[in-house]
Amino acid sequence: MALADPVRRHLIARLSRGPATVNELAEPFPISTQAISKHIQVLEQAGLVARTREAQRRPVHLVPERLEAMTAWIDRYRLVKESQFRNLDRLLDQDSTPGRDRAPDTRRRPS
């Protein structure tokens, strides 16, 4: 759910280049800093980002371990699906091989 929103995905992409404040993160968006803060809270609750304190600044940064765990989980399912698609491709290639004997058409035709 945390990455379902395009704004949050954009925030993650921006933070992949380095930490940023809420104001810096809000710059490219036509929404308020308060709305950006709410998006950051969702990402924090998911464990994808964290805030630190540097004097008066509270930069937001990625939590790489959490992103790596999520990526590993996604990759596991991606590999299964890729294998299924390769199997389907093989079956379709076999079925469309020229000269291959096909089963007779047993459907009834109207008389």
Side-chain angles (χ1 to χ4, degrees):
M1 283 274 209
L3 294 178
D5 189 284
V7 171
R8 292 193 286 267
R9 289 193 304 267
H10 182 82
L11 293 175
I12 291 290
R14 166 53 188 88
L15 291 170
S16 71
R17 297 190 317 261
T21 64
V22 173
N23 287 334
E24 292 168 339
L25 292 170
E27 283 176 13
F29 296 102
I31 58 178
S32 68
T33 55
Q34 184 179 13
I36 293 295
S37 289
K38 288 183 180 184
H39 284 294
I40 292 169
Q41 286 175 349
V42 171
L43 294 171
E44 281 181 305
Q45 290 170 353
L48 298 173
V49 301
R51 294 183 203 211
T52 57
R53 186 173 292 276
E54 296 173 3
Q56 296 299 317
R57 295 182 68 215
R58 292 204 57 201
V60 180
H61 58 89
L62 290 178
V63 178
E65 301 82 15
R66 183 75 169 156
L67 287 170
E68 288 169 8
M70 187 175 62
T71 301
W73 180 81
I74 290 169
D75 279 345
R76 189 172 74 224
Y77 290 98
R78 182 183 55 81
L79 293 172
V80 168
K81 288 298 174 191
E82 284 179 0
S83 173
Q84 291 171 343
F85 283 126
R86 280 192 299 275
N87 289 339
L88 179 60
D89 283 343
R90 272 194 299 279
L91 288 171
L92 291 173
D93 285 345
Q94 288 173 358
D95 194 44
S96 65
T97 303
R100 182 177 180 275
D101 290 337
R102 297 178 190 255
D105 188 357
T106 57
R107 291 178 288 174
R108 296 195 98 168
R109 295 191 175 105
S111 308

